[in-house]
PDB file of all heavy atoms in Angstrom:
ATOM      1  N   THR B  98       8.453  10.465   9.011  1.00  0.00           N
ATOM      2  CA  THR B  98       8.386  11.812   8.452  1.00  0.00           C
ATOM      3  C   THR B  98       7.274  12.572   9.174  1.00  0.00           C
ATOM      4  O   THR B  98       6.806  12.130  10.214  1.00  0.00           O
ATOM      5  CB  THR B  98       8.130  11.758   6.933  1.00  0.00           C
ATOM      6  OG1 THR B  98       8.165  13.106   6.413  1.00  0.00           O
ATOM      7  CG2 THR B  98       6.786  11.140   6.614  1.00  0.00           C
ATOM      8  N   TYR B 101       1.169  17.294   7.631  1.00  0.00           N
ATOM      9  CA  TYR B 101       0.513  18.486   8.147  1.00  0.00           C
ATOM     10  C   TYR B 101      -0.998  18.266   8.138  1.00  0.00           C
ATOM     11  O   TYR B 101      -1.591  18.073   7.080  1.00  0.00           O
ATOM     12  CB  TYR B 101       0.878  19.699   7.283  1.00  0.00           C
ATOM     13  CG  TYR B 101       2.358  20.014   7.259  1.00  0.00           C
ATOM     14  CD1 TYR B 101       3.262  19.196   6.575  1.00  0.00           C
ATOM     15  CD2 TYR B 101       2.865  21.132   7.920  1.00  0.00           C
ATOM     16  CE1 TYR B 101       4.611  19.475   6.553  1.00  0.00           C
ATOM     17  CE2 TYR B 101       4.212  21.428   7.897  1.00  0.00           C
ATOM     18  CZ  TYR B 101       5.084  20.604   7.212  1.00  0.00           C
ATOM     19  OH  TYR B 101       6.423  20.895   7.193  1.00  0.00           O
TER      20      TYR B 101
ATOM     21  N   PHE N  28      13.135  26.239  -5.087  1.00  0.00           N
ATOM     22  CA  PHE N  28      13.690  25.339  -4.085  1.00  0.00           C
ATOM     23  C   PHE N  28      13.429  23.908  -4.515  1.00  0.00           C
ATOM     24  O   PHE N  28      12.611  23.643  -5.395  1.00  0.00           O
ATOM     25  CB  PHE N  28      13.090  25.605  -2.690  1.00  0.00           C
ATOM     26  CG  PHE N  28      11.607  25.307  -2.581  1.00  0.00           C
ATOM     27  CD1 PHE N  28      11.160  24.073  -2.107  1.00  0.00           C
ATOM     28  CD2 PHE N  28      10.667  26.262  -2.943  1.00  0.00           C
ATOM     29  CE1 PHE N  28       9.798  23.811  -1.998  1.00  0.00           C
ATOM     30  CE2 PHE N  28       9.308  26.009  -2.834  1.00  0.00           C
ATOM     31  CZ  PHE N  28       8.872  24.777  -2.367  1.00  0.00           C
ATOM     32  N   GLN N  29      14.151  22.996  -3.894  1.00  0.00           N
ATOM     33  CA  GLN N  29      13.942  21.581  -4.163  1.00  0.00           C
ATOM     34  C   GLN N  29      13.104  20.968  -3.054  1.00  0.00           C
ATOM     35  O   GLN N  29      13.227  21.359  -1.888  1.00  0.00           O
ATOM     36  CB  GLN N  29      15.293  20.865  -4.262  1.00  0.00           C
ATOM     37  CG  GLN N  29      16.118  21.307  -5.464  1.00  0.00           C
ATOM     38  CD  GLN N  29      17.438  20.562  -5.559  1.00  0.00           C
ATOM     39  OE1 GLN N  29      18.028  20.175  -4.565  1.00  0.00           O
ATOM     40  NE2 GLN N  29      17.915  20.366  -6.780  1.00  0.00           N
ATOM     41  N   ALA N  30      12.291  20.020  -3.432  1.00  0.00           N
ATOM     42  CA  ALA N  30      11.396  19.397  -2.462  1.00  0.00           C
ATOM     43  C   ALA N  30      11.369  17.888  -2.672  1.00  0.00           C
ATOM     44  O   ALA N  30      10.908  17.422  -3.715  1.00  0.00           O
ATOM     45  CB  ALA N  30       9.993  19.965  -2.589  1.00  0.00           C
ATOM     46  N   THR N  31      11.873  17.146  -1.704  1.00  0.00           N
ATOM     47  CA  THR N  31      11.793  15.694  -1.808  1.00  0.00           C
ATOM     48  C   THR N  31      10.382  15.202  -1.491  1.00  0.00           C
ATOM     49  O   THR N  31      10.015  14.093  -1.856  1.00  0.00           O
ATOM     50  CB  THR N  31      12.777  15.017  -0.834  1.00  0.00           C
ATOM     51  OG1 THR N  31      12.534  15.515   0.486  1.00  0.00           O
ATOM     52  CG2 THR N  31      14.213  15.304  -1.226  1.00  0.00           C
ATOM     53  N   THR N  32       9.630  16.032  -0.819  1.00  0.00           N
ATOM     54  CA  THR N  32       8.269  15.665  -0.435  1.00  0.00           C
ATOM     55  C   THR N  32       7.300  16.774  -0.796  1.00  0.00           C
ATOM     56  O   THR N  32       7.564  17.939  -0.509  1.00  0.00           O
ATOM     57  CB  THR N  32       8.182  15.392   1.087  1.00  0.00           C
ATOM     58  OG1 THR N  32       9.134  14.388   1.440  1.00  0.00           O
ATOM     59  CG2 THR N  32       6.795  14.906   1.469  1.00  0.00           C
ATOM     60  N   LEU N  74      13.061  16.648  -8.191  1.00  0.00           N
ATOM     61  CA  LEU N  74      13.015  17.382  -6.934  1.00  0.00           C
ATOM     62  C   LEU N  74      12.191  18.661  -7.026  1.00  0.00           C
ATOM     63  O   LEU N  74      12.040  19.364  -6.030  1.00  0.00           O
ATOM     64  CB  LEU N  74      14.436  17.724  -6.470  1.00  0.00           C
ATOM     65  CG  LEU N  74      15.249  16.538  -5.961  1.00  0.00           C
ATOM     66  CD1 LEU N  74      16.688  16.946  -5.709  1.00  0.00           C
ATOM     67  CD2 LEU N  74      14.643  15.972  -4.685  1.00  0.00           C
ATOM     68  N   ALA N  96       4.483  22.140  -0.663  1.00  0.00           N
ATOM     69  CA  ALA N  96       5.823  21.582  -0.526  1.00  0.00           C
ATOM     70  C   ALA N  96       6.575  22.271   0.591  1.00  0.00           C
ATOM     71  O   ALA N  96       6.257  23.404   0.969  1.00  0.00           O
ATOM     72  CB  ALA N  96       6.588  21.732  -1.841  1.00  0.00           C
ATOM     73  N   ARG N  97       7.540  21.561   1.115  1.00  0.00           N
ATOM     74  CA  ARG N  97       8.452  22.118   2.116  1.00  0.00           C
ATOM     75  C   ARG N  97       9.859  21.996   1.556  1.00  0.00           C
ATOM     76  O   ARG N  97      10.241  20.924   1.078  1.00  0.00           O
ATOM     77  CB  ARG N  97       8.331  21.333   3.415  1.00  0.00           C
ATOM     78  CG  ARG N  97       9.152  21.901   4.563  1.00  0.00           C
ATOM     79  CD  ARG N  97       8.929  21.093   5.821  1.00  0.00           C
ATOM     80  NE  ARG N  97       9.519  19.771   5.728  1.00  0.00           N
ATOM     81  CZ  ARG N  97       9.137  18.724   6.445  1.00  0.00           C
ATOM     82  NH1 ARG N  97       8.135  18.848   7.275  1.00  0.00           N
ATOM     83  NH2 ARG N  97       9.727  17.559   6.314  1.00  0.00           N
ATOM     84  N   PRO N  98      10.620  23.064   1.562  1.00  0.00           N
ATOM     85  CA  PRO N  98      11.970  23.006   0.987  1.00  0.00           C
ATOM     86  C   PRO N  98      12.830  21.911   1.596  1.00  0.00           C
ATOM     87  O   PRO N  98      12.838  21.705   2.812  1.00  0.00           O
ATOM     88  CB  PRO N  98      12.538  24.394   1.296  1.00  0.00           C
ATOM     89  CG  PRO N  98      11.329  25.269   1.351  1.00  0.00           C
ATOM     90  CD  PRO N  98      10.261  24.412   1.988  1.00  0.00           C
ATOM     91  N   PHE N  99      13.524  21.198   0.724  1.00  0.00           N
ATOM     92  CA  PHE N  99      14.424  20.136   1.145  1.00  0.00           C
ATOM     93  C   PHE N  99      15.500  20.687   2.071  1.00  0.00           C
ATOM     94  O   PHE N  99      16.075  21.743   1.811  1.00  0.00           O
ATOM     95  CB  PHE N  99      15.078  19.503  -0.092  1.00  0.00           C
ATOM     96  CG  PHE N  99      16.151  18.508   0.242  1.00  0.00           C
ATOM     97  CD1 PHE N  99      15.824  17.300   0.847  1.00  0.00           C
ATOM     98  CD2 PHE N  99      17.488  18.766  -0.043  1.00  0.00           C
ATOM     99  CE1 PHE N  99      16.805  16.365   1.151  1.00  0.00           C
ATOM    100  CE2 PHE N  99      18.472  17.838   0.255  1.00  0.00           C
ATOM    101  CZ  PHE N  99      18.124  16.641   0.854  1.00  0.00           C
ATOM    102  N   GLY N 100      15.742  19.975   3.156  1.00  0.00           N
ATOM    103  CA  GLY N 100      16.787  20.372   4.084  1.00  0.00           C
ATOM    104  C   GLY N 100      16.290  21.219   5.235  1.00  0.00           C
ATOM    105  O   GLY N 100      17.004  21.387   6.231  1.00  0.00           O
ATOM    106  N   GLN N 101      15.076  21.751   5.106  1.00  0.00           N
ATOM    107  CA  GLN N 101      14.528  22.518   6.210  1.00  0.00           C
ATOM    108  C   GLN N 101      13.904  21.566   7.216  1.00  0.00           C
ATOM    109  O   GLN N 101      13.377  20.533   6.869  1.00  0.00           O
ATOM    110  CB  GLN N 101      13.494  23.533   5.708  1.00  0.00           C
ATOM    111  CG  GLN N 101      14.121  24.643   4.889  1.00  0.00           C
ATOM    112  CD  GLN N 101      13.185  25.815   4.689  1.00  0.00           C
ATOM    113  OE1 GLN N 101      12.075  25.850   5.210  1.00  0.00           O
ATOM    114  NE2 GLN N 101      13.629  26.796   3.915  1.00  0.00           N
ATOM    115  N   GLY N 102      13.962  21.940   8.455  1.00  0.00           N
ATOM    116  CA  GLY N 102      13.549  21.054   9.524  1.00  0.00           C
ATOM    117  C   GLY N 102      12.047  20.936   9.677  1.00  0.00           C
ATOM    118  O   GLY N 102      11.262  21.508   8.924  1.00  0.00           O
ATOM    119  N   VAL N 103      11.672  20.198  10.701  1.00  0.00           N
ATOM    120  CA  VAL N 103      10.270  19.889  10.942  1.00  0.00           C
ATOM    121  C   VAL N 103       9.466  21.132  11.267  1.00  0.00           C
ATOM    122  O   VAL N 103       8.241  21.146  11.103  1.00  0.00           O
ATOM    123  CB  VAL N 103      10.158  18.864  12.085  1.00  0.00           C
ATOM    124  CG1 VAL N 103      10.706  19.453  13.401  1.00  0.00           C
ATOM    125  CG2 VAL N 103       8.738  18.397  12.274  1.00  0.00           C
ATOM    126  N   ASN N 104      10.128  22.184  11.714  1.00  0.00           N
ATOM    127  CA  ASN N 104       9.404  23.393  12.085  1.00  0.00           C
ATOM    128  C   ASN N 104       9.074  24.297  10.907  1.00  0.00           C
ATOM    129  O   ASN N 104       8.432  25.332  11.077  1.00  0.00           O
ATOM    130  CB  ASN N 104      10.224  24.191  13.108  1.00  0.00           C
ATOM    131  CG  ASN N 104      10.394  23.437  14.410  1.00  0.00           C
ATOM    132  OD1 ASN N 104       9.519  22.689  14.831  1.00  0.00           O
ATOM    133  ND2 ASN N 104      11.535  23.627  15.061  1.00  0.00           N
ATOM    134  N   SER N 105       9.505  23.930   9.734  1.00  0.00           N
ATOM    135  CA  SER N 105       9.255  24.791   8.572  1.00  0.00           C
ATOM    136  C   SER N 105       7.848  24.564   8.039  1.00  0.00           C
ATOM    137  O   SER N 105       7.326  23.449   8.086  1.00  0.00           O
ATOM    138  CB  SER N 105      10.293  24.530   7.485  1.00  0.00           C
ATOM    139  OG  SER N 105      10.225  23.193   7.060  1.00  0.00           O
ATOM    140  N   PRO N 106       7.219  25.609   7.541  1.00  0.00           N
ATOM    141  CA  PRO N 106       5.836  25.495   7.073  1.00  0.00           C
ATOM    142  C   PRO N 106       5.750  24.945   5.655  1.00  0.00           C
ATOM    143  O   PRO N 106       6.743  24.837   4.945  1.00  0.00           O
ATOM    144  CB  PRO N 106       5.360  26.942   7.104  1.00  0.00           C
ATOM    145  CG  PRO N 106       6.590  27.726   6.786  1.00  0.00           C
ATOM    146  CD  PRO N 106       7.725  26.976   7.446  1.00  0.00           C
TER     147      PRO N 106
END
Side-chain angles (χ1 to χ4, degrees):
Chain B
T98 184
Y101 299 72
Chain N
F28 65 95
Q29 294 181 328
T31 54
T32 304
L74 288 172
R97 185 178 70 203
F99 173 68
Q101 291 194 4
V103 63
N104 295 327
S105 61

